Amino acid sequence: MLIREMQWDDIDNGLLEVLSHLSQTEPIPPESKAKIWNNLSNGENAMLVAIGTDGKVIGTGILIVTWKYLRGGVRAGRISDVATHPDYEGRGIGSVIVKDLIRIAREKGCYKVTLKCSRKNRSWYERFGFKEDEVAMRLNLL
């Protein structure tokens, strides 16, 4: 297994299949794929994938970095879309990805890293030092 930065070809080489295990996914038009790619691959964010021996994506995670007016203009990170293909769960792939995303957040000077997870995954993230903090809110627009 290899953990590396995501590349454009990974989108159709297993990434969408892995993400489909997080939430319902639908086909993405080519122009939307390009817009998403351009937005996420801006140099501030980090998109990691785990590649299996067959060359397909078997795990993924994203670090979104934003600048804050608070605290003198520092950066904050948010981890999102951490997923492992069910055939590869329990092998530590997600752990390696999360640890790498935390390391990258430190290197980018983020003063904190947040994430949102289901209650059933809370204890898994606590192993990395995450603690429950405030309340997540959501407004569905579509």
Side-chain angles (χ1 to χ4, degrees):
M1 171 191 69
L2 167 70
I3 305 286
R4 62 164 169 74
E5 281 280 335
M6 188 167 76
Q7 301 169 359
W8 171 259
D9 293 341
D10 293 328
I11 297 169
D12 293 319
N13 192 30
L15 176 71
L16 298 178
E17 181 184 353
V18 170
L19 289 174
S20 73
H21 298 285
L22 280 180
S23 180
Q24 179 180 345
T25 58
E26 299 184 17
I28 300 174
E31 63 276 6
S32 294
K33 284 182 191 177
K35 285 179 185 176
I36 295 167
W37 174 260
N38 290 336
N39 183 284
L40 291 175
S41 63
N42 66 8
E44 289 289 326
N45 304 315
M47 303 178 296
L48 298 181
V49 290
I51 304 298
T53 55
D54 62 355
K56 293 191 73 114
V57 174
I58 58 173
T60 188
I62 297 175
L63 172 71
I64 308 289
V65 178
T66 57
W67 287 92
K68 308 294 279 184
Y69 283 106
L70 303 170
R71 298 180 181 254
V74 297
R75 293 174 173 171
R78 181 173 54 88
I79 292 178
S80 183
D81 298 343
V82 175
T84 302
H85 191 285
D87 292 347
Y88 295 89
E89 286 180 355
R91 299 183 189 187
I93 295 167
S95 294
V96 172
I97 289 172
V98 169
K99 287 176 185 176
D100 277 355
L101 292 173
I102 293 168
R103 176 187 52 78
I104 292 167
R106 276 193 184 101
E107 290 172 358
K108 291 183 175 283
C110 294
Y111 84 99
K112 71 177 180 179
V113 177
T114 61
L115 59 82
K116 180 181 164 194
C117 68
S118 65
R119 293 203 185 281
K120 70 176 184 167
N121 290 332
R122 185 172 61 188
S123 64
W124 189 79
Y125 284 105
E126 287 173 343
R127 297 184 316 173
F128 305 101
F130 287 95
K131 294 179 179 14
E132 192 169 337
D133 181 51
E134 300 181 3
V135 174
M137 304 291 287
R138 174 174 157 163
L139 173 63
N140 291 333
L141 300 176
L142 298 177

